[in-house]
Amino acid sequence: MLIRLQALTRITAAVGEQLPLRFRLDHHTQLDDYVGSAGVRLRELEGLVLVFGASGTGKTHLLQGLCHEALTAGRSMIFLPELASLDPSVLEGLESSSLVCLDDIDQVIEGPMWQESLFHLINAVRDHKGKLVLSSSVAVAELQPNLADLTSRLKGAYLISTDELNDTEKLEVVRRKAHRRGFEMSEEVCRFILSRAQRDMHHLARLVEQLDRETLMQQKKVTIPFVKAALGL
């Protein structure tokens, strides 16, 4: 087993708990920062939920945002990304948390051991009346595990599609992410970034992170010349 559950994933509201960096929540992935209707639906639904959408459309943001809200409410939660680097046995016992979020299950769904482990987790979370949120880059119809019982469970999940954002909505996301990090960007600067950079939200989020670091180091206002120099655009 690559990583033992007890050493890794028991994420609770205890702020001082030590966890590997890649399993920590990004502080800027708040559900209120998500632009679109998927965030509202994700809050409302209980039980088994499958969030699907193309890469870069906000699946990880949604899952992490929900986890942030669970922590704020003092509820236990688990967020597991990069499932392909883990052993399926990492899912054992997760049902004791009120919220379990597994990112990108399509990366492991073809593995027989993962299918068994996921099937048992779905049943266990249901029995504990918890909430299990899965994300996938493909729709549920394209997830075709050999385990028929798992297929049945996935088809019975609540389905949420990520929102395809237009340029105006992407501008709003970039502005919110910058504001969350403590600096402001004008609409002119945001439009400049959109005109020069890749337009998927994952890439735009990384650019905001980079600008955050540069503004802290240089203590300068975010202008178009600053963005050109800092991001090489």
Side-chain angles (χ1 to χ4, degrees), residues 40 96 109 117 121 126 131 135 150 203:
V40 175
S96 61
I109 198 69
S117 295
L121 177 62
R126 180 191 60 190
K131 183 170 182 173
S135 82
L150 176 58
H203 182 72

Side-chain angles (χ1 to χ4, degrees), residues 10-17 70-77:
R10 192 59 59 199
I11 305 178
T12 66
V15 177
E17 186 171 358
L71 288 176
T72 299
R75 296 187 290 116
S76 58
M77 68 84 182

Side-chain angles (χ1 to χ4, degrees), residues 75-139:
R75 296 187 290 116
S76 58
M77 68 84 182
I78 298 290
F79 170 72
L80 281 183
E82 303 176 29
L83 297 179
S85 68
L86 305 176
D87 188 276
S89 59
V90 76
L91 302 186
E92 296 172 8
L94 298 190
E95 69 275 5
S96 61
S97 292
S98 61
L99 171 66
V100 180
C101 293
L102 306 181
D103 211 5
D104 296 319
I105 63 163
D106 51 299
Q107 295 181 2
V108 297
I109 198 69
E110 294 182 0
M113 293 181 63
W114 274 104
Q115 293 176 26
E116 288 281 352
S117 295
L118 186 56
F119 173 70
H120 290 307
L121 177 62
I122 291 173
N123 290 339
V125 170
R126 180 191 60 190
D127 292 343
H128 280 72
K129 302 188 185 304
K131 183 170 182 173
L132 174 59
V133 182
L134 314 173
S135 82
S136 169
S137 294
V138 298

Side-chain angles (χ1 to χ4, degrees), residues 137-226:
S137 294
V138 298
V140 65
E142 298 178 56
L143 295 173
Q144 299 181 340
N146 296 324
L147 185 60
D149 287 339
L150 176 58
T151 300
S152 176
R153 293 290 187 275
L154 293 175
K155 288 183 177 179
Y158 292 109
L159 303 180
I160 297 179
S161 174
T162 54
D163 295 270
E164 293 291 338
L165 304 182
N166 58 36
D167 282 355
T168 299
E169 290 167 330
K170 288 180 179 180
L171 286 173
E172 178 62 15
V173 172
V174 171
R175 187 196 65 79
R176 289 188 188 186
K177 286 184 178 294
H179 180 75
R180 177 74 67 177
R181 288 177 172 273
F183 66 97
E184 303 298 330
M185 286 199 293
S186 67
E187 181 176 336
E188 182 183 20
V189 170
C190 290
R191 289 190 179 280
F192 173 80
I193 292 174
L194 275 185
S195 70
R196 299 294 184 94
Q198 297 178 36
R199 289 171 175 258
D200 68 275
M201 292 315 305
H202 179 76
H203 182 72
L204 291 173
R206 299 285 80 79
L207 293 184
V208 174
E209 289 180 9
Q210 189 175 343
L211 283 175
D212 184 32
R213 292 193 296 270
E214 293 295 329
T215 56
L216 288 173
M217 288 189 297
Q218 300 187 39
Q219 296 294 305
K220 290 183 178 180
K221 184 178 179 180
V222 180
T223 61
I224 289 178
F226 178 83

